[in-house]
Amino acid sequence: MKKTVSIIGSGFASLAAACYLARDGYEVEIFEKNKTIGGRARQLKKEGFTFDIGPTWYWMPDVFERFFADFGKTPADFYELEKLNPAYKVFFGKEDSITIEDTLEKIYKAFETEEAGSAAKLERFIDEALDNYNIAIKDLVYRPGVSPLELVTPATAKKLGSFFSTISKEVRKEFKNPKLIQILEFPVLFLGAKASNTPAFYSFMNYADFGLGTWHPKGGMYKVIEGMEQLARSLGVKINTSAPAEKIFVKNNTATGILVNGERIKSDYILSGADYHHTETLLPKDNRQYPESYWEKKTFAPSSLLFYVGFDKKLANITHHSLFFDTDFEKHARAIYDEAKWPEDPLFYASFPSVTDASAAPKGKETGIFLIPLAPDVEDSEEIREKYFQKIISRFEEITQQKVIDHILFRESFCVLDFKKEYNSYKGNAYGLANTLFQTAFLRPKLKSRKVHNLFFTGQLTVPGPGVPPSLISGKLVAGLIQNSKK
């Protein structure tokens, strides 16, 4: 008989793991608490507008290609990709912006225009970032974080210094222009920590940004989820929605099943792609690996205040992805990581997928997604959300030189309380556990429970870390551990 695996959650990591396990002969069933699959990568459809609720950036296309190739497929079998040009635009104020285009040569030129001599410096920086990318993404991140020795290779031995320096230090050694510094420090926000706390080795994110470019799946990031669902179902995976896991049954320190909507589901293995902290609360206290004090001491990636806005007209002076860095970058970072409070003058991100993708909005209209990074667990109320929307929309109007407030058809918001309610997210974090030096690889929460046999975890709070590509990799890693556990 086939061994059975019950998977809690249906995000990128869970779907990836389900595909690998089903391919290798397991009977796999997914249980998703929400009405639709995708975890944080769900979609909002309203009045002809389509919004990705969660991830909106498609970076590291090679990781997606590698995932689908493991099943004899390509991304093109499931969705259509377009490389964005420009990749994104960074606004520093009215008539003050830098556009990041779709090739390194164009980006070198943009840097040189801003600061003489910076093109050559950037070229050297990107060469180093590419070297790190080849070590990290093609090798290290596909290791399961079981032992410190996983990080010890001839290649990493040569890079030892970059694990103990920081992105911030390395960038500032070469670049003095504050705008260029902010652009180079921006990608590590995807890792969930300040550049001053992120090891310099993670400059591979700059290669992901500049070297590999920014892409868009036609129809939105949810098309990737739908493609993975199609693949999973073709492999025999069963998927249940509106099916919250309420308890994990343990007998003789071995996971034996889960309780879903009052029904006991027996299983040989339990794999949770849900929030790690929440998953452990489904266990008897003696079977939990990490006490509350463990989670309290961890550095979490930010939460977010998001707005999904339908505009009744096409907007001017916008790109698919835009960053608004017209306020103090460091001050906002301190509010998130050091002070855990609402920023007074937040930086924000805006995405207008309808600039690229006609399917995102009705003809002649615009789909807008606005995001403010926040400290986890800050106070959240409708009044605060309204206050911050007015803050950013007034700045947006001034910087892009247009009136939009009277052209809003509707607006939905999503913040800390929603992350807790929809995803059982610890402190309402949006991106998981930050990749700081002491929260990297084997120092992250384990893929395999050390207290309960046949219980496993996957996703952004475990190995390798936050982000969509790492989640795909996490699914592959945990599937490998489950396969090895029966040998």
Side-chain angles (χ1 to χ4, degrees), residues 117-276:
S118 64
K121 293 176 182 177
L122 181 60
E123 191 168 356
R124 290 194 297 271
F125 184 83
I126 292 298
D127 284 346
E128 179 75 8
L130 170 59
D131 198 30
N132 290 346
Y133 191 90
N134 287 332
I135 296 169
I137 304 303
K138 295 183 180 177
D139 182 17
L140 288 187
V141 294
Y142 285 92
R143 301 182 182 203
V146 173
S147 162
L149 296 178
E150 292 173 5
L151 296 179
V152 182
T153 70
T156 56
K158 296 175 185 175
K159 299 279 183 178
L160 195 59
S162 69
F163 283 95
F164 294 97
S165 182
T166 67
I167 290 284
S168 186
K169 282 181 184 175
E170 296 307 308
V171 167
R172 283 168 167 73
K173 277 182 188 176
E174 297 291 340
F175 300 92
K176 305 305 174 192
N177 184 294
K179 297 175 192 174
L180 301 184
I181 289 171
Q182 286 182 34
I183 289 172
L184 288 169
E185 290 185 348
F186 147 69
V188 301
L189 295 178
F190 286 92
L191 301 172
K194 287 195 296 187
S196 57
N197 286 338
T198 302
F201 181 72
Y202 284 100
S203 70
F204 64 73
M205 291 296 291
N206 294 101
Y207 178 74
D209 178 1
F210 292 173
L212 296 176
T214 302
W215 300 73
H216 174 69
K218 188 174 181 181
M221 286 293 287
Y222 199 69
K223 288 296 177 186
V224 186
I225 290 290
E226 290 178 339
M228 294 178 73
E229 176 190 15
Q230 185 182 335
L231 176 61
R233 290 189 187 278
S234 74
L235 293 165
V237 177
K238 295 177 184 174
I239 301 176
N240 305 279
T241 53
S242 300
E246 298 155 342
K247 182 178 181 179
I248 298 173
F249 294 103
V250 178
K251 184 177 180 180
N252 298 326
N253 294 323
T254 300
T256 59
I258 57 177
L259 186 70
V260 177
N261 288 330
E263 180 186 354
R264 183 168 187 155
I265 312 292
K266 292 183 179 179
S267 193
D268 295 307
Y269 299 94
I270 307 301
L271 167 59
S272 179
D275 179 272
Y276 204 124

Side-chain angles (χ1 to χ4, degrees), residues 91 313-319 366 396 400-402 404:
F91 291 94
K313 68 169 186 174
K314 299 301 288 183
L315 304 187
N317 305 321
I318 59 170
T319 56
E366 208 83 82
F396 175 79
T400 62
Q401 302 177 55
Q402 63 189 317
V404 301

Side-chain angles (χ1 to χ4, degrees), residues 72-110:
K73 302 288 185 181
T74 69
D77 292 323
F78 301 99
Y79 52 89
E80 182 183 337
L81 272 182
E82 177 182 350
K83 190 174 189 182
L84 297 182
N85 187 33
Y88 56 92
K89 192 170 185 176
V90 187
F91 291 94
F92 298 96
K94 189 176 178 181
E95 297 179 354
D96 184 8
S97 64
I98 296 175
T99 299
I100 302 301
E101 295 191 71
D102 60 341
T103 68
L104 279 169
E105 289 69 29
K106 293 175 187 174
I107 297 168
Y108 294 150
K109 188 175 179 181

